[in-house]
């Protein structure tokens, strides 16, 4: 059945295929001439698209915050009027009375020089007491020492 159709319409099929090939060639040539004739506009458009994409990417990178905000919840110890020193924790740390005085003055927010003036000792003595305090409480900073002493019940 198909062969009979091809035999009867052979001439029409050949002409149709020839016209399709000719149309394809003409469209290809037209596209080629358009590209050659308007190459500057095409290249300028491509460059504009590239720089637009680059600008959007750069703006997104610069608009992002450099540091992330982290919220840390920390318990706050409320001092009450009936504060009692935890002598057991004080004995565990093996803290002397003078070191405890230095720690209390640190908790008030005094500097080493102010602590030395208040206790009538040299600045080096205060630094020595502070270093021993940090060692006994296993901390590295004054704020950590005060915080740990409050948690242990040594300070009010």
């Amino acid at each position: 059945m198909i062969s009979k159709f091809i035999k009867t319409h052979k001439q029409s099929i050949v002409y149709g295929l020839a016209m399709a090939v000719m149309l394809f060639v003409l469209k290809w040539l037209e596209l080629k001439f358009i590209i050659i004739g308007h190459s500057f506009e095409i290249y300028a458009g491509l460059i504009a698209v590239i720089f637009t994409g680059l600008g959007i990417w750069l703006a997104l990178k610069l608009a992002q915050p450099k540091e992330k905000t982290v919220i840390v919840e920390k318990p706050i110890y409320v001092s009450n009027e009936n504060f009692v020193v935890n002598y057991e924790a004080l004995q565990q740390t093996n803290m002397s009375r003078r070191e405890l005085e230095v720690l209390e003055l640190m908790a008030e927010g005094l500097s080493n020089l102010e602590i030395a003036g208040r206790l009538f000792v040299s600045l080096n003595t205060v630094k020595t007491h502070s270093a021993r305090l940090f060692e006994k409480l296993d901390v590295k900073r004054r704020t950590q020492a005060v915080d740990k002493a409050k948690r242990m019940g040594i300070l009010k």
Side-chain angles (χ1 to χ4, degrees):
M1 175 154 193
I2 295 177
S3 62
K4 185 178 180 185
F5 176 78
I6 292 175
K7 285 183 184 177
T8 57
H9 299 293
K10 183 178 182 183
Q11 191 175 10
S12 300
I13 292 172
V14 171
Y15 283 134
L17 287 175
M19 286 178 64
V21 170
M22 298 268 297
L23 185 62
F24 175 77
V25 170
L26 285 174
K27 285 295 180 181
W28 181 75
L29 286 174
E30 180 184 2
L31 180 65
K32 191 172 182 178
F33 284 124
I34 288 174
I35 290 175
I36 291 171
H38 300 287
S39 61
F40 177 76
E41 290 85 0
I42 292 171
Y43 291 135
L46 287 175
I47 290 171
V49 167
I50 290 170
F51 276 101
T52 301
L54 183 65
I56 292 170
W57 174 79
L58 188 61
L60 289 174
K61 285 292 183 184
L62 291 177
Q64 289 179 350
K66 301 235 187 289
E67 296 178 5
K68 292 185 178 180
T69 304
V70 178
I71 298 173
V72 178
E73 293 185 15
K74 191 173 181 181
I76 297 174
Y77 302 100
V78 179
S79 63
N80 54 11
E81 299 300 323
N82 301 330
F83 177 75
V84 178
V85 176
N86 185 354
Y87 290 105
E88 190 176 303
L90 193 59
Q91 286 177 350
Q92 284 178 349
T93 59
N94 198 20
M95 195 180 302
S96 70
R97 179 71 193 140
R98 194 57 141 183
E99 290 169 345
L100 182 60
E101 288 175 354
V102 170
L103 183 62
E104 288 170 346
L105 293 174
M106 277 183 192
E108 289 181 22
L110 299 179
S111 67
N112 285 345
L113 191 59
E114 292 169 330
I115 294 171
R118 183 91 51 99
L119 296 177
F120 303 106
V121 295
S122 73
L123 182 61
N124 286 335
T125 304
V126 173
K127 288 181 180 179
T128 302
H129 287 311
S130 298
R132 288 187 182 151
L133 264 171
F134 296 165
E135 202 173 292
K136 290 177 180 180
L137 291 173
D138 192 30
V139 295
K140 295 182 180 180
R141 296 184 186 87
R142 297 165 64 108
T143 54
Q144 291 174 340
V146 170
D147 185 48
K148 188 166 185 177
K150 285 182 179 180
R151 279 188 280 128
M152 292 173 72
I154 296 172
L155 287 180
K156 183 175 177 181

